[in-house]
C-alpha cells in the first residue's frame, strides 16, 4: 500500500497517522507496520502533533543544519534538505494491535518535508496476522 503527501512549504510537517492506519490491510489484527518514504529529502518520525511543537521541530532542524555552504549545493542546491532528512530517517515501525497502529496517547506519525513544496510517496508494509 502507498499514499501521497502534498506540501506547500519547503520545510513542513504533516500528520499521516490516519493515512497509515488506513493502509493497514483488513484482517491484520496483530503485527508490525512500517511506513517508509521513497525519497532522500523527507523523513518520518513518531512525535506529538501539537502545532507549536511542530514549529519547534521545524526551527530545530533549520537551526541544526545551515541552509548553505555544503558541497552538494553545487549540483543540486538542496544539501540542507538531505542532511535534515538524514537526521530523521526514512521510516518508522509501529506495532499493530486490534488492526490499528498501537501508538501512545500523545504519539502521532509525522511526515517531515525537508525540500518542498512537493508531492511525496509513502509506502506502508504490514506483517502480521
Ligand atoms: Zn540533492
Amino acid at each position: 500500500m502507498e499514499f501521497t503527501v502534498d506540501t506547500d512549504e519547503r520545510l513542513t510537517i504533516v500528520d499521516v497517522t490516519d493515512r497509515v492506519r488506513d493502509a493497514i490491510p483488513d484482517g491484520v489484527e496483530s503485527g508490525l507496520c512500517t511506513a517508509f518514504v521513497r525519497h532522500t529529502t523527507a523523513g518520518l518520525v513518531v512525535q506529538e502533533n501539537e502545532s507549536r511543537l511542530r514549529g519547534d521541530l521545524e526551527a530545530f532542524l533549520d537551526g541544526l543544519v545551515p541552509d548553505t555552504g555544503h558541497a552538494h549545493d553545487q549540483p543540486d542546491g538542496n544539501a540542507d534538505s538531505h542532511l535534515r532528512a538524514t537526521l530523521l530517517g526514512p521510516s518508522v515501525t509501529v506495532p499493530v494491535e486490534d488492526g490499528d497502529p498501537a501508538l501512545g496517547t500523545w504519539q502521532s506519525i509525522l511526515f517531515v518535508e525537508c525540500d518542498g513544496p512537493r508531492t511525496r510517496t509513502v509506502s506502508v508494509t504490514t506483517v502480521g496476522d
Side-chain angles (χ1 to χ4, degrees):
M1 299 281 290
E2 62 182 39
F3 60 84
T4 58
V5 180
D6 294 314
T7 58
D8 54 13
E9 293 179 63
R10 183 147 194 264
L11 177 60
T12 190
I13 296 171
V14 179
D15 189 332
V16 294
T17 309
D18 289 342
R19 307 195 60 190
V20 173
R21 179 181 293 112
D22 290 345
I24 296 173
D26 291 343
V28 176
E29 290 296 309
S30 176
L32 290 171
C33 173
T34 295
F36 179 82
V37 291
R38 299 180 189 269
H39 307 279
T40 57
T41 54
L44 287 167
V45 296
V46 173
Q47 196 44 260
E48 183 175 352
N49 180 20
E50 191 277 323
S51 61
R52 287 159 296 188
L53 182 60
R54 290 199 312 270
D56 287 338
L57 180 55
E58 292 167 9
F60 175 66
L61 291 169
D62 197 44
L64 279 177
V65 181
D67 289 346
T68 57
H70 310 290
H72 180 73
D73 288 333
Q74 289 284 340
D76 219 7
N78 68 349
D80 56 337
S81 306
H82 290 280
L83 296 171
R84 289 171 185 144
T86 300
L87 294 172
L88 305 169
S91 68
V92 296
T93 297
V94 298
V96 175
E97 294 176 9
D98 299 324
D100 287 324
L103 295 162
T105 303
W106 302 107
Q107 288 182 315
S108 293
I109 301 170
L110 304 180
F111 172 89
V112 184
E113 175 59 72
C114 298
D115 197 23
R118 287 181 189 234
T119 299
R120 304 291 202 166
T121 301
V122 177
S123 70
V124 179
T125 304
T126 305
V127 293
D129 50 22

